[in-house]
Amino acid sequence: MSTTPVERALSYHTRTKHRLDRYARALGYLDWSTQPDPFRTFEGAPQLLLPLRAGGLTAAYRDLYRPGAVPTAAVDLGSIAALFELSLGLSAWKETRGSRWALRCNPSSGNLHPTEGYLLLAGAPGVPAGLYHYVSRDHALERRAALDPAAARDLAGLLPPGSFVVGLSSVHWREAWKYGERAFRYCQHDAGHALAAIRYAAAALGWSAVLLDDLGDAELSALLGLDRDADFAGVAAADREHPDAALLLVPAAPLDRSAALAAARAVGASAAEVIRLVVGGAWAGRANALSPSHVDWDVIEDAARATWKPHTEEPAAAPEAALPPLAGVNGAGGAPSAGALASEVIRARRSATAFDGRTSIGAETFYAMLDRLLPRPGVPPWDALPWAPLVHAVVFVHRVRGLAQGLYALERSEAAHERLRAALTHPFDWEKPAGCPDHLRLYRLSEADLRGPAQIVSCHQEIAADGAFSLGMVADLGATLRARGAPWYRRLFWEAGVLGHALYLEAEAARDSGGRVRATGIGCYFDDVFHELCGITGDAFQSLYHFTVGGPVEDARLTTRAPYEHLERARHGPAPR
């Protein structure tokens, strides 16, 4: 029987693998009568309606990757509204045959959205000091805890000038309702996507953001009010929220790595005092129940307990080698056009449901996309994560002009080369493709048409074979958990989610002569079939997430509606005729 937290986390991972002869345990059908409400609200909490301001931001998408290129916005009601609109807000409504559902800027497995967002600040014009919960449907902040002037001043003294905190939590049941035991993995993917979405939105406002790395789960739970049992009275345990992560947002041009880590470390060191101020506030609101009944998945609860994070002082990662800008990334050759606004790219992001099996991309576009997956100082989204890359990619190249079909490996850190090469035990070529930029650590492993294997690996889904390329994200799992602890199981999935979010936006922004492309995450894949194809044995490296990019096929049966037209009607009435 697994006893240590690390053993329990690894046991959960093994237990929840999909296999050719059976899938990870789930209910096997969708019980629509218990489908969770996708929107958490706190009845009785004062609501602060947010203006729709994201459309007024003028930052170009390409400028997000140029430190200091986006002017720093003042922190006020309008900029905070834009931050949430572009990160956790709605991006559209879809309708068909009387059914209607919302899409959001932060993607989610099955569009089930387990992630909840919170705001803690010492006050800003239009936003009184306190702790707030964000309701994406209403584009509103619910004030959970109000701080008096003295507490607000004390909180301001504990945070960098003008800065504030955005917290994230997960309702595991929202994913488990459909996906059963594997759902804990998907909640961590979604937390990573949300972290990246917040970082990109902050960059569009000229702000910095960094993970509060030292903060423990008990501290975060207290900080966000998740441990207030009275506020969840009548709410089943499955509807409760699990603390995920918190980001410190600083209204300044991108901080250098040492300054960002110092700011985060200072806030972590004062966590007890920050919590005291918030807990002592005037609280309001009771959580809504999300489902009338639930199926209990004890293995998820055990994984959550095993990966529960204490307060830590994580060592600073050694800086990565400096990387040059990739030629053509900000100009011609398949890169985002100069006129693409960051807000347009972010709000246009969608998960493709099918690819046409024809659209190709040029090698330069492909290299530019991969280049965005490498960390650079002051460049989103990777500057928000204070550790060196631990997730790499094994890529199926199907339709990339100027590049042979086959299997490729992308190393996101030079330090990983020997370990990754030793882990991929097949007699691969490990050859650098002709024309690949020197700093891009991409290696051709074997040349072959792998569309069939790619489809089989991804639970027989055609979308993995019909795109320009697909990939599996391979994490240094076993060694990382044994060296750093079981909470890193969640963090590796977050990193995979951040990587996926970068691919989403790069696909949406790409301009290639081969045609428009779009991306989608793939959570359903046969873990060990992929490992066998790569020659991976043991638990040292494991695949955590799959992804694919290609020419999208639009579903003509669906009608798309503007994300907040319902608010415009509710707040301002119907448009004059």
Side-chain angles (χ1 to χ4, degrees), residues 23 37 73 75 101 109 200 227 263 281 317 321 383 412 428 438 441 497 511 526 551 566:
Y23 287 86
D37 189 332
V75 177
W101 62 94
S109 303
Y200 277 113
D227 61 353
D383 61 339
R412 297 182 52 247
F428 289 129
D438 291 340
R441 301 183 64 82
R511 301 292 183 268
F526 298 121
H566 63 293

Side-chain angles (χ1 to χ4, degrees), residues 53 193 308 322 386 504 525 549:
R53 294 289 174 81
H193 279 292
W308 186 265
Y504 263 128
Y525 56 89
V549 175

